[in-house]
Amino acid sequence: MKINLIFGPVLIPDKMVFRQANINIPEDHYIFFSKETIKELRDEFHEKKIENNITINHNGINVEGVFLTKSFIVNDNKREKLPKEFKNLPNGTWMAEYRIENKEIWKLNEENKLNGFSIEGILGTEYKKEI
């Protein structure tokens, strides 16, 4: 049986991420997370045992056959084990690997219709409108 794995960053510290207007912030905006916040989010993710609550594009529908196999925060010791395309990510980056047994999800991946990991949550935010 072929093992299908995907691996990449979940959150990168201080990286500005575009978000469209939503119920909490009424205009298009950017968000970012500090190293400390990323570690807290990762810890909570595992403490609440929600590693395998997987949806596609935040549609609210859990998919079957997708399983977390690795999750760690990049630091100087772990950097050596990263594939070359991830070696320059900053310390504090949250990395994850998932095993995909769901054939439909793997097909989406092969067709480049999935482009990364994301977490869902309503987080405390500080909204600053630039003038």
Side-chain angles (χ1 to χ4, degrees), residues 5-130:
L5 300 172
I6 55 174
F7 177 74
V10 177
L11 291 172
I12 300 170
D14 303 318
K15 179 177 178 152
M16 300 301 280
V17 179
F18 177 77
R19 291 289 183 251
Q20 293 181 331
N22 58 56
I23 194 165
N24 296 314
I25 301 176
E27 55 194 36
D28 291 352
H29 58 282
Y30 288 85
I31 61 171
F32 72 94
F33 300 93
S34 68
K35 287 191 281 190
E36 296 79 16
T37 299
I38 290 172
K39 183 179 181 324
E40 289 172 14
L41 289 169
R42 181 194 172 270
D43 291 350
E44 184 176 340
F45 178 79
H46 292 294
E47 287 167 6
K48 289 186 175 181
K49 301 192 182 313
I50 55 176
E51 297 99 337
N52 296 318
N53 292 350
I54 310 299
T55 66
I56 303 298
N57 297 323
H58 301 285
N59 67 4
I61 301 168
N62 282 353
V63 297
E64 300 293 323
V66 181
F67 307 97
L68 181 71
T69 56
K70 291 181 185 173
S71 171
F72 63 90
I73 301 291
V74 172
N75 61 35
D76 290 334
N77 294 332
K78 292 189 169 106
R79 184 172 311 286
E80 297 302 317
K81 297 178 183 179
L82 290 173
K84 65 181 177 183
E85 58 268 271
F86 298 126
K87 292 237 187 242
N88 291 328
L89 288 172
N91 285 348
T93 298
W94 178 8
M95 302 295 292
E97 177 184 86
Y98 280 86
R99 185 179 76 242
I100 312 294
E101 294 180 359
N102 182 314
K103 291 178 184 177
E104 294 164 2
I105 301 302
W106 188 251
K107 184 177 180 204
L108 290 173
N109 180 65
E110 287 181 320
E111 295 171 348
N112 293 316
K113 293 182 178 173
L114 304 175
N115 60 8
F117 298 113
S118 182
I119 61 168
E120 291 188 44
I122 299 173
L123 308 170
T125 59
E126 183 178 327
Y127 176 60
K128 293 182 181 179
K129 184 173 183 173
E130 290 188 20

